[in-house]
Amino acid sequence: MWICKNQLGRHNLTDAQKTYLIGRQYEARKMTQGGDRKSSSQNGNLKNARTSELVAKEHRMGKESVLRAAKFSKGVDAAEKIERNLTTGLPKVNICVQ
């Protein structure tokens, strides 16, 4: 998570790179959050906020944009895995990304 925050501080990132890093930050942060997943922020109380809302507030964007960024980063990772398998001569991997 620290790596994503550090890289997002750079000013020379492309939009795709920013989107990828925000998606990775969301996924990393999602794994560290505990508690009731059904609770959400109310009246500006971020103590019970969902991870997508926390990341969205940090980057001044909507929570739906954060969720799309997470899907984008998963897709990029899956494509890299397929490319790596094709270049190493391993059999093709059937990947299902939600």
Side-chain angles (χ1 to χ4, degrees):
M1 189 163 54
W2 176 85
I3 293 172
C4 292
K5 281 186 172 185
N6 188 42
Q7 290 298 315
L8 282 165
R10 294 175 40 205
H11 296 288
N12 60 342
L13 292 175
T14 65
D15 288 339
Q17 290 169 327
K18 286 180 188 177
T19 301
Y20 177 80
L21 289 171
I22 289 170
R24 292 291 300 214
Q25 181 184 9
Y26 165 76
E27 290 295 331
R29 194 172 206 176
K30 183 174 71 170
M31 295 299 183
T32 63
Q33 298 292 323
D36 182 13
R37 291 288 182 199
K38 294 180 181 177
S39 64
S40 63
S41 65
Q42 295 177 359
N43 302 326
N45 182 7
L46 292 179
K47 186 175 182 181
N48 295 327
R50 296 178 65 85
T51 305
S52 59
E53 293 169 349
L54 293 172
V55 174
K57 183 171 181 150
E58 184 178 334
H59 295 288
R60 297 181 183 107
M61 61 191 328
K63 69 177 185 174
E64 295 299 322
S65 296
V66 172
L67 296 174
R68 281 191 299 271
K71 286 182 180 181
F72 176 77
S73 67
K74 285 181 183 178
V76 170
D77 291 342
E80 286 180 355
K81 185 175 182 178
I82 291 170
E83 182 181 12
R84 188 173 36 247
N85 286 341
L86 290 175
T87 58
T88 58
L90 296 175
K92 292 183 181 180
V93 177
N94 193 5
I95 297 177
C96 179
V97 178
Q98 293 180 334

